[in-house]
Amino acid sequence: MGKKFYITTPIYYVNARPHIGHAYTTIVCDTIARRQRMLGSDTFFLTGTDEHGQKIERAAQEAGKTPQQYADEIATEFRKLWQRMGISNDDFIRTTEERHKKRVQELFRRIRDNGYIYKGHYTGQYCFSDELYVDGAKPGDPCPLCGRPTETVEEENYFFKLSAFQDKLLELYANPDFVRPETRRNEVISFVRSGLRDLSISRSTFSWGIPVPDDPKHVIYVWLDALANYITAIGYGSTHAGAQAAFEKYWPADVHMIGKEIVRFHCVYWPAFLLAAGLPLPKAIVAHGWLLFEENKMSKSRGNIVRADSIIEVLGNDALRYFLLREVVFGQDGSFSFDALVQRYNADLANGLGNLASRTLTMIGRYFAGEIPTASPSAVDNSSGNAIAEAAQTVISEFSALFDQFQFSRALEVAWSLVGAVDKYIVENEPWSLGEKQDEASRARLAAVLYTSADAVRIVAALTHPVMPESTARIWAQLGLGDIRKFQLSTLQWGQLPGGIQLGKVEPVFPRADKSTIERMQQMENEGRAPAAAPVAEAQATSQPVPSPAEKLPAAASDGKITIDDFAKVDLRVGLIKVAEKVKGADKLLRLEVDIGAEVRQLVAGIAEAYAPETLVGRKVVIVANLAPRKLRGLESNGMIVAASLEGGKPVLASFLEDVPVGARLK
Ligand code: ME8
């Protein structure tokens, strides 16, 4: 094994279900981890959930659950989503696990024994959303991170001597790689230069946390608890020899990947805690920007969330991964929209790499009986082919340099320049015309053209395997190269494609998406529908190539006409809304009682963001009355309310201009 490489995501709060903002960080880390594994590094990739603190305690209370029940449910959602998305994390740490709690107490003891903790009294402002002490603020002042009003906290606390580390921290930031990108580094430097006050690191007015050693009336400040996950998960503070060895091997982390809003905790508090404990510091803290939806940061509190489920079910994991890495300039904020996703998918994947792979392989099938033609020196001796070979070598080195500088979008752009160059090369050399001719020179040129195209496809697949693990594995297998996971990326160079090998079964990897693709994703979003089983993660475990969910597209999108009998199966009725109320803990859902003539039905509808409950009572709507019942948030929903779905997923209820009797059938 080569050098070790340890990378972490933030551990996500369990006050809300995962959305594609969380998926973004996790995908970025997964991609980096996969590349490191391909380069032969002994890689450890950690993610997990942050489960203590007042914010979680309050969210659980609102949901009518104990904090542990609540945390168990949401942590399971995160874990399952990462499995469905094929995320290759080596561990998943939960801060409510015993191993974590004991080791955090050990860290607290060590910092205290080193003289950096003292008891004091805190009166000041606190932001419960960010779990942040806001120094120098007055009652009612907003939180500097999220803008919500702070609350006054007055209690006996343990304090951490953060002020003792000001100079040491500033020395650390002199290393330009420690905090990235530059803008974040400057932000941190100016924050620390403006002066550091000691930090309260315990709370005594609630109990959902890890008890302070020897003083269990206090619980440890949730950020000290959470940040420590990066060392507890790999064995810090354990008495087991194996765990200790893992800690020795993997710590310090090579990259802590975070969103830009938690820079202060990671770049100021975390290194100070480690310095106080006498532990080595992480090598780099890398902060990315936010995914925006409709111009705002995607977040639960704003209610402008898109989940990964609908996208991965309809277009597949790789489409989401490619889109996020290609479309968002890493470090900056980036907008998400279904339109942009589908456009990128079609342009770069369906029409780009997918089309190049399938036309190249289909022609090898047709003209060389599915055997990669041998590229004899005379055959490749044509100048445009040589230009492709040279371009490919340059792409390999540029892609690698850009990728290792976290410039994923540029790296992919560079890789796609090769796809574009080969497309052009194919058009110029017209292999389909060469294929019609039988003379030796034409056959040799045809062999050279198809070999050149196939080797370029191989190179793009190898480079982008960390980004699109499933589809590139399929392309690799179609090229007859076997299991891509066995390929050592550091050896990649032009011309390694062995002539004479037999192609695997050639199938399209990225079928074109059409208008209905967006509608289907939006519809799933609106319904807040949990995805069906987990076909992708399960299929991955087998040795068979994974059929991409996108392959289902043509069937669903085929001109798909139904007969009048099919339509007659849908029982559409006029309903009168009698009761409408919000569903606790679900931003999008309303519970409705709807009179459909013969009976009053309970329905759960994803329309809470578009309609206030009180505006719905007395309104006539259209109901699908014969849908099988299903449960949403524990409530049985008997039927579906019909609505138009607008851009961004906003529902608009179907209604009538004339008066219609309740229970009337629509046909
Ligand atoms: O902050 N765009 O957890 P959290 C991009 N528990 N990334 C986003 C995003 C968006 N719109 N929304 C969330 C916490 N993220 C703490 C961390 S670490 C010791 C403790 C990603 O659930 C991004 O990585 O609020 C961000 O930093 C993280 O989720 C915040 O997750």
Side-chain angles (χ1 to χ4, degrees):
M1 273 267 171
K3 68 175 173 64
K4 73 87 187 168
F5 184 83
Y6 177 31
I7 183 164
T8 65
T9 71
I11 48 170
Y12 305 112
Y13 283 130
V14 289
N15 67 325
R17 291 171 53 211
H19 57 72
I20 59 167
H22 306 111
Y24 177 60
T25 319
T26 310
I27 286 171
V28 168
C29 289
D30 185 64
T31 304
I32 297 173
R34 284 174 184 272
R35 180 172 159 85
Q36 285 295 331
R37 290 191 197 105
M38 273 185 99
L39 288 169
S41 304
D42 178 355
T43 303
F44 198 90
F45 166 25
L46 178 69
T47 188
T49 40
D50 185 356
E51 306 188 3
H52 288 130
Q54 208 157 8
K55 167 166 159 154
I56 308 300
E57 195 181 63
R58 286 180 179 184
Q61 251 162 20
E62 274 172 32
K65 299 195 169 140
T66 66
Q68 189 64 59
Q69 273 172 340
Y70 189 71
D72 287 348
E73 280 172 22
I74 309 250
T76 305
E77 287 217 30
F78 272 97
R79 203 196 281 263
K80 280 195 179 156
L81 177 64
W82 301 153
Q83 274 171 6
R84 270 203 306 282
M85 289 177 55
I87 299 297
S88 65
N89 53 302
D90 295 287
D91 198 353
F92 185 101
I93 179 107
R94 298 183 54 187
T95 55
T96 51
E97 284 173 69
E98 257 342 284
R99 61 168 173 161
H100 176 74
K101 292 198 257 185
K102 280 205 200 116
R103 296 171 193 180
V104 168
Q105 288 178 324
E106 177 54 34
L107 177 68
F108 192 98
R109 264 190 219 105
R110 184 150 165 184
I111 299 176
R112 188 178 60 193
D113 294 350
N114 287 351
Y116 291 106
I117 291 178
Y118 62 93
K119 213 169 192 176
H121 194 86
Y122 183 83
T123 305
Q125 297 309 113
Y126 191 79
C127 170
F128 288 90
S129 181
D130 289 309
E131 301 278 12
L132 172 75
Y133 290 97
V134 185
D135 291 334
K138 299 182 298 303
D141 277 359
C143 165
L145 297 187
C146 69
R148 292 186 185 84
T150 53
E151 295 178 36
T152 306
V153 169
E154 199 179 344
E155 58 191 4
E156 190 189 51
N157 285 344
Y158 284 93
F159 280 82
F160 171 68
K161 284 190 192 167
L162 182 62
S163 55
F165 293 95
Q166 181 156 346
D167 293 341
K168 285 202 187 88
L169 287 169
L170 287 170
E171 273 168 39
L172 268 180
Y173 309 142
N175 167 7
D177 287 342
F178 185 64
V179 178
R180 295 200 234 183
E182 186 70 20
T183 43
R184 302 294 155 224
R185 178 168 158 248
N186 293 338
E187 200 177 283
V188 172
I189 292 175
S190 76
F191 175 75
V192 174
R193 276 209 189 118
S194 71
L196 292 177
R197 305 218 324 218
D198 290 350
L199 179 72
S200 165
I201 49 160
S202 74
R203 302 288 316 272
S204 54
T205 49
F206 69 97
S207 59
W208 183 238
I210 302 175
V212 165
D214 315 316
D215 196 354
K217 279 203 318 294
H218 295 255
V219 291
I220 295 174
Y221 175 41
V222 63
W223 270 102
L224 173 53
D225 166 350
L227 288 160
N229 91 86
Y230 300 133
I231 54 175
T232 62
I234 52 166
Y236 168 80
S238 169
T239 48
H240 295 286
Q244 284 169 353
F247 178 66
E248 290 303 319
K249 173 154 123 193
Y250 289 114
W251 190 254
D254 293 81
V255 175
H256 287 317
M257 181 68 66
I258 58 171
K260 67 182 180 183
E261 78 289 355
I262 51 176
V263 160
R264 184 187 307 179
F265 302 100
H266 282 80
C267 304
V268 183
Y269 299 171
W270 180 228
F273 294 149
L274 289 167
L275 286 167
L279 291 168
L281 300 174
K283 292 189 193 147
I285 299 154
V286 182
H288 62 67
W290 288 335
L291 275 193
L292 311 177
F293 191 61
E294 291 158 356
E295 309 294 315
N296 280 310
K297 181 188 178 211
M298 199 178 284
S299 73
K300 187 203 168 195
S301 51
R302 286 196 180 85
N304 61 343
I305 282 170
V306 176
R307 305 209 186 270
D309 299 337
S310 53
I311 302 169
I312 61 178
E313 176 128 332
V314 175
L315 276 180
N317 283 325
D318 287 356
L320 177 62
R321 295 169 70 99
Y322 177 80
F323 174 78
L324 291 175
L325 287 169
R326 174 64 183 84
E327 191 84 4
V328 178
V329 176
F330 186 81
Q332 298 177 17
D333 292 349
S335 288
F336 176 85
S337 79
F338 287 111
D339 277 343
L341 168 69
V342 168
Q343 255 180 41
R344 252 299 155 212
Y345 172 86
N346 275 337
D348 293 7
L349 299 180
N351 298 344
L353 179 61
N355 185 41
L356 177 62
S358 93
R359 69 207 286 219
T360 302
L361 299 185
T362 306
M363 283 191 279
I364 293 177
R366 186 175 310 143
Y367 302 126
F368 292 97
E371 205 173 86
I372 303 271
T374 304
S376 73
S378 63
V380 288
D381 184 20
N382 79 56
S383 60
S384 59
N386 284 345
I388 296 289
E390 273 166 32
Q393 280 302 131
T394 312
V395 164
I396 294 171
S397 58
E398 280 185 8
F399 182 96
S400 305
L402 288 164
F403 196 99
D404 294 340
Q405 283 301 314
F406 306 101
Q407 296 193 43
F408 310 112
S409 179
R410 284 277 301 120
L412 290 169
E413 203 181 336
V414 163
W416 259 253
S417 71
L418 185 61
V419 173
V422 178
D423 273 339
K424 192 160 161 261
Y425 167 76
I426 290 181
V427 170
E428 283 166 4
N429 285 282
E430 295 187 10
W432 46 89
S433 310
L434 293 171
E436 301 296 301
K437 300 177 186 153
Q438 296 306 324
D439 63 290
E440 217 171 287
S442 299
R443 285 292 290 171
R445 269 196 64 202
L446 179 63
V449 171
L450 293 181
Y451 181 89
T452 301
S453 307
D455 205 32
V457 168
R458 179 188 67 91
I459 283 171
V460 174
L463 288 174
T464 60
H465 178 58
V467 180
M468 299 187 289
E470 292 165 18
S471 0
T472 50
R474 296 177 62 212
I475 293 175
W476 200 259
Q478 292 184 25
L479 280 164
L481 294 169
D483 185 352
I484 195 168
R485 287 171 303 182
K486 299 202 177 118
F487 181 70
Q488 285 189 7
L489 192 55
S490 55
T491 65
L492 182 66
Q493 52 174 304
W494 178 260
Q496 286 164 322
L497 181 65
I501 56 167
Q502 190 68 33
L503 298 183
K505 185 159 180 257
V506 178
E507 293 167 320
V509 179
F510 303 110
R512 249 191 96 75
D514 66 13
K515 251 180 75 195
S516 76
T517 313
I518 298 182
E519 283 159 19
R520 287 168 62 206
M521 288 188 287
Q522 279 178 339
Q523 195 183 346
M524 280 181 72
E525 267 304 304
N526 295 344
E527 288 175 4
R529 181 178 124 190
V536 173
E538 279 157 23
Q540 252 183 348
T542 74
S543 57
Q544 294 304 311
V546 183
S548 151
E551 281 180 358
K552 298 175 206 147
L553 283 173
S558 72
D559 78 344
K561 298 220 169 64
I562 57 168
T563 64
I564 187 80
D565 294 341
D566 290 332
F567 176 69
K569 287 182 196 149
V570 185
D571 186 13
L572 291 168
R573 299 276 169 178
V574 176
L576 175 70
I577 300 182
K578 301 284 233 186
V579 175
E581 60 189 26
K582 294 209 153 165
V583 174
K584 251 194 178 174
D587 295 343
K588 290 192 172 176
L589 299 181
L590 291 184
R591 190 187 79 83
L592 306 173
E593 286 176 27
V594 184
D595 184 353
I596 55 165
E599 58 181 311
V600 176
R601 290 278 188 89
Q602 170 170 287
L603 263 78
V604 181
I607 55 172
E609 285 168 343
Y611 292 94
E614 58 278 11
T615 62
L616 290 172
V617 176
R619 183 165 170 164
K620 282 185 180 155
V621 289
V622 177
I623 301 296
V624 181
N626 61 341
L627 264 191
R630 59 194 183 121
K631 280 212 162 165
L632 288 165
R633 296 278 165 159
L635 294 170
E636 190 163 279
S637 184
N638 271 298
M640 192 180 91
I641 193 158
V642 176
S645 179
L646 304 192
E647 173 78 10
K650 185 174 183 276
V652 176
L653 292 178
S655 55
F656 299 93
L657 292 174
E658 287 95 19
D659 197 23
V660 278
V662 170
R665 183 152 189 202
L666 283 81
K667 39 189 182 172

